[in-house]
Amino acid sequence: MAVLNIVKVGAPVLREIAEPVTRFDKKLEKTLKNMAESMYANNGCGLAAPQIGLSKRMVVIDAGDGAGIREFVNPVLSDFKGEAVDVEGCLSVDEYEGEVKRAAEVTVTFQDRKGEKWRLDAKGLLARALQHECDHLDGILFIDKALSLTPKRKAE
Ligand code: NI
């Protein structure tokens, strides 16, 4: 496995509509593992493939709920319910964090690394992370939606 460079705001790949994943092979498995390792190395709770310069529809999330790393390939969100405002940051945005309004609950349909289809109802941080990471797949960053932006505290 390898810790990959995180692409920062300003890079065109972060503004592209990512392509669906069609090959469920060893390479995909390796990429997902590298994404997870890169996310943990940077103390993130989610990472989308465009953030490693790969314009493909896949994200990894660890919402700190004890489930560990979750992989979502070709995720599609639906059934947005409620509203919640909370502070978000992004590994591609070094300077700011900010409050973003998201749905409080969301349903995600997705594939796993083998191509098998799943459906999951999410709330709390997982719901927020899914919305943040799926935005990345459509070229959207949280700074586009933030109600307020404040300078990020330096990581200790
Ligand atoms: Ni992000």
Side-chain angles (χ1 to χ4, degrees), residues 48-122:
Q51 294 181 276
I52 57 160
L54 183 63
S55 195
K56 292 283 183 184
R57 304 192 78 82
M58 54 186 175
V59 310
V60 295
I61 293 172
D62 184 339
D65 55 5
I69 193 75
R70 295 179 189 267
E71 299 170 349
F72 300 91
V73 178
N74 298 324
V76 176
L77 301 183
S78 63
D79 300 281
F80 299 87
K81 287 179 201 149
E83 280 181 5
V85 174
D86 209 342
V87 175
E88 293 183 17
C90 178
L91 295 181
S92 294
V93 179
D94 286 334
E95 293 181 10
Y96 299 105
E97 55 188 16
E99 287 189 319
V100 185
K101 184 159 78 179
R102 303 281 188 186
E105 296 179 32
V106 72
T107 297
V108 58
T109 52
F110 63 101
Q111 285 166 282
D112 64 18
R113 56 168 72 183
K114 303 289 186 199
E116 208 167 321
K117 291 184 178 170
W118 299 86
R119 181 187 169 94
L120 177 71
D121 297 322

Side-chain angles (χ1 to χ4, degrees), residues 14 46-48 51 88-93 132-133 136 140-142:
L14 291 178
L47 192 72
Q51 294 181 276
E88 293 183 17
C90 178
L91 295 181
S92 294
V93 179
H132 176 116
E133 301 310 333
H136 275 297
I140 299 165
L141 300 174
F142 85 95

